Amino acid sequence: MTIRNRKPLIALIVAAGSVLAIPAMAQSAKQQAAHAQNEAAQAQQAADQATDAAAAASAQANGGGQTWASIDTDGNGTISKSESQVNAGLAQVFDQADANKDGQLSADEYKAYVAAQQAGAGAGGTAAGQGR
């Protein structure tokens, strides 16, 4: 048996391939949409994690949300060196901030220390700016 005209056979094969390719293309589009949604969800999760990390860093920079009263566990109005240990930043500067060296840091001593540090930083910034 010989095939005299192959064009109808080729046309039939091409037509069958087209019909089979349409569902495959639809499936591919669905997969792409699902992939895009997955990537968007991952991006949102990364953004949420970055927001959480920024909030944690901010809380740490602000003393972890601690107040004078929360650090002053004995309630006497001053913070002892041992009480200051719950806040790493305060513990680090305790001796410099304790102006009268009585081992107790009053709110006024701490405010004066912070003000002096801020004034020193401002003066240092001005001097550096003049050197340029």
Side-chain angles (χ1 to χ4, degrees), residues 31-86:
Q31 288 174 339
Q32 287 176 349
H35 183 69
Q37 286 177 339
N38 188 27
E39 285 182 345
Q42 288 176 350
Q44 182 62 46
Q45 184 179 15
D48 290 345
Q49 288 174 347
T51 300
D52 292 346
S58 176
Q60 184 177 8
N62 293 327
Q66 295 172 323
T67 63
W68 191 267
S70 70
I71 297 172
D72 180 19
T73 56
D74 63 8
N76 68 352
T78 62
I79 295 176
S80 68
K81 188 156 182 121
S82 64
E83 287 172 325
S84 74
Q85 299 304 308
V86 300

Side-chain angles (χ1 to χ4, degrees), residues 94-120:
F94 185 90
D95 291 330
Q96 294 102 357
D98 183 15
N100 63 5
K101 306 299 181 204
D102 66 350
Q104 296 291 318
L105 186 61
S106 70
D108 290 338
E109 285 176 317
Y110 185 68
K111 288 177 189 175
Y113 172 78
V114 170
Q117 294 302 306
Q118 289 174 344

Side-chain angles (χ1 to χ4, degrees), residues 16-33:
S18 298
V19 170
L20 294 176
I22 291 172
M25 289 173 49
Q27 182 64 28
S28 177
K30 287 179 184 177
Q31 288 174 339
Q32 287 176 349

